[in-house]
Amino acid sequence: VSPQFATILYKALLAAMIGRSGLILQRQGLLRPQLQSLKTCVNQFAGQYLVLCLVLLFAPIQPMPTIMGAIAIYAVVDIAVAQKGAAIAMLPILDRLAGARLDSVRQNRDGLLVHAAVCEIAAAFIALFTGSFIVGSLLLQFFLRFRYRSDSYSKYAWGYLAQMLGKVFYHPSCPAVIAGLFDKIKNGMHAMATR
């Protein structure tokens, strides 16, 4: 796949997610230019992804497969859990082709949503180190402030990441300076998320 085609596909998927998030917020009555509606909107999953996809659509960073993975996981879980009846009504063959898979997705919902949260975290760090540092920093703060506060799966994913990195940085052969730096970064990120 050529890089130009990948970029076009990436932007098209972001635009589709913007449209989907906007429709969800409009159905909930939150897409109004009133301050209270906007505050409530940002605390909703659809509002967070609306803002995220708008930023990524216009940001000067390369396509990030990890954020596309998160969006795809959320879409599949949404179809399997909340929209299965409507999807099968539109495409009756879907039940025969993917009915068992959708049931499996519904049964593994929590694990898949944790994987989506891990993809989000990976995207934030990838943007921080490979794309524009400023955009990556803003993306990381966005996820720390909004996703961590409002999503239990994001909290779990961040905790899991801290636990796994702790095994490396608290290992006896790791220098105390590195472990101290890890503690400062971890505590700073937690403070930023809970402010």
Side-chain angles (χ1 to χ4, degrees):
V1 176
S2 72
Q4 293 85 4
F5 180 71
T7 302
I8 291 169
L9 182 60
Y10 176 70
K11 299 287 184 182
L13 289 172
L14 288 175
M17 189 64 179
I18 290 168
R20 181 181 177 278
S21 298
L23 287 173
I24 291 170
L25 293 171
Q26 184 180 23
R27 266 188 256 135
Q28 295 174 349
L30 297 174
L31 204 59
R32 291 177 285 169
Q34 298 170 347
L35 186 59
Q36 187 58 35
S37 292
L38 293 176
K39 285 181 182 178
T40 306
C41 177
V42 174
N43 290 323
Q44 300 287 327
F45 172 80
Q48 293 167 357
Y49 260 82
L50 178 68
V51 172
L52 171 69
C53 291
L54 279 170
V55 168
L56 291 177
L57 189 62
F58 298 107
I61 56 177
Q62 294 298 313
M64 293 188 297
T66 50
I67 203 69
M68 290 293 107
I71 290 171
I73 291 171
Y74 286 129
V76 168
V77 169
D78 184 48
I79 288 171
V81 174
Q83 308 295 329
K84 183 180 179 190
I88 290 173
M90 275 192 331
L91 292 169
I93 196 168
L94 183 65
D95 191 33
R96 195 174 65 231
L97 293 176
R101 293 280 186 199
L102 292 176
D103 291 338
S104 175
V105 167
R106 191 173 29 256
Q107 291 169 358
N108 297 312
R109 175 184 181 268
D110 292 337
L112 289 169
L113 292 177
V114 168
H115 285 295
V118 169
C119 287
E120 293 172 348
I121 294 168
F125 282 105
I126 289 169
L128 188 64
F129 294 112
T130 62
S132 166
F133 183 78
I134 294 170
V135 173
S137 299
L138 293 174
L139 185 64
L140 187 58
Q141 285 184 11
F142 173 78
F143 275 112
L144 283 173
R145 289 211 171 133
F146 295 108
R147 298 292 297 142
Y148 182 85
R149 283 184 192 171
S150 64
D151 187 44
S152 61
Y153 299 106
S154 290
K155 286 180 186 173
Y156 182 84
W158 280 104
Y160 180 76
L161 178 65
Q163 182 183 6
M164 291 296 108
L165 290 174
K167 288 181 181 179
V168 173
F169 292 118
Y170 298 138
H171 193 271
S173 62
C174 184
V177 173
I178 303 294
L181 182 63
F182 172 69
D183 274 336
K184 286 183 181 183
I185 292 171
K186 183 175 77 169
N187 293 335
M189 291 175 81
H190 181 71
M192 187 188 313
T194 55
R195 250 193 267 151

